[in-house]
Amino acid sequence: MTGRPNLPAFFSLKAFDSIGSTNEEALARARTGAPEGTILWAKQQTGGRGRRGRSWSSPPGNLYVSLLLRPAVPPAEAAQLGFVAAVGMAEALHAALPAARRLSCKWPNDLLIDGAKTAGILPEAEAAGRNVEALVLGMGINVESHPADTPYRATSLRAAGSQVTVEALLESLAERLLAWYRRWQGDGFAPVRTRWLDFAQGLGEPIEVRLESATLKGRFAALDRTGALDLELADGRHRLVTAGDVFYPAA
């Protein structure tokens, strides 16, 4: 790899020219006792994964990292770390973009530039008893390129006018991830939720939420205090959604 990022002491960086999946490797290392803060960075992935087992296109030039955390909290609380990652990533991307670009967070784990997907987060946890013993945050950011064959619009930082390098972006991301992880540990989810809402895509607007067996239509009313999407249905009832794919029919 060319150039090694300078990360805070919390992180133990493992760099690869190519790997199957940074998440798979991070989970394997977690099972053999790798410490919290282990972060795997790959120049490319040959078996990158997104949510629900989808493949994640991983050519050279983009950022692919997986961070191992050991939060020792129940699964419902550990799920909040996806929002911690989203907030840290949103701040890092916002700082790297021209001022005219709009950076937003799409519930639950995507980041958009001017409405086009630029980054995604894949949290994967392993529990021990009632608590999550290891949680891996997989993060992919389109820096140099983006896939063309997606069911949604996609873009990259370079296409949006940013000149940030992968190494500089990783440094910025790591600093912000650590700051928000510590904030979450000390103050809980409330400040993370507030900051995520600063970047929220589609809040108050009509949306579709596609579940495994149904599609719900309504208004994105709020992000509830646990991180669930509060969907206001046409009849005025509210439904909390904890997993699904969001689409914006008005876009």
Side-chain angles (χ1 to χ4, degrees), residues 55-107:
S55 64
W56 182 274
S57 177
S58 307
N62 297 332
L63 179 59
Y64 315 108
V65 295
S66 291
L67 171 62
L68 171 61
L69 299 175
R70 295 190 179 277
V73 296
E77 287 183 52
Q80 298 167 1
L81 288 168
F83 292 93
V84 170
V87 166
M89 190 182 291
E91 291 186 346
L93 295 184
H94 179 74
L97 284 168
R101 297 296 187 181
R102 178 173 177 266
L103 191 285
S104 59
C105 290
K106 176 187 172 187
W107 187 91

Side-chain angles (χ1 to χ4, degrees), residues 105-128:
C105 290
K106 176 187 172 187
W107 187 91
N109 294 322
D110 291 340
L111 283 89
L112 316 178
I113 296 174
D114 295 334
K117 182 171 177 177
T118 311
I121 301 161
L122 178 62
E124 294 188 299
E126 295 199 347

Side-chain angles (χ1 to χ4, degrees), residues 89-191:
M89 190 182 291
E91 291 186 346
L93 295 184
H94 179 74
L97 284 168
R101 297 296 187 181
R102 178 173 177 266
L103 191 285
S104 59
C105 290
K106 176 187 172 187
W107 187 91
N109 294 322
D110 291 340
L111 283 89
L112 316 178
I113 296 174
D114 295 334
K117 182 171 177 177
T118 311
I121 301 161
L122 178 62
E124 294 188 299
E126 295 199 347
R130 295 182 178 180
N131 287 338
V132 170
E133 192 276 333
L135 182 135
V136 170
L137 292 171
M139 293 163 278
I141 302 175
N142 298 334
V143 179
E144 291 286 349
S145 65
H146 62 276
D149 55 345
T150 57
Y152 44 78
R153 291 195 300 124
T155 191
S156 65
L157 288 170
R158 204 66 75 234
S162 173
Q163 297 304 310
V164 70
T165 65
V166 169
E167 292 81 4
L169 183 60
L170 178 52
E171 290 181 354
S172 176
L173 175 62
E175 290 176 3
R176 288 166 169 84
L177 283 173
L178 180 57
W180 279 105
Y181 182 49
R182 295 305 190 208
R183 183 83 184 273
W184 174 80
Q185 287 180 311
D187 300 328
F189 185 57

Side-chain angles (χ1 to χ4, degrees), residues 52 154 199 241:
R52 299 188 178 184
F199 293 99
V241 180

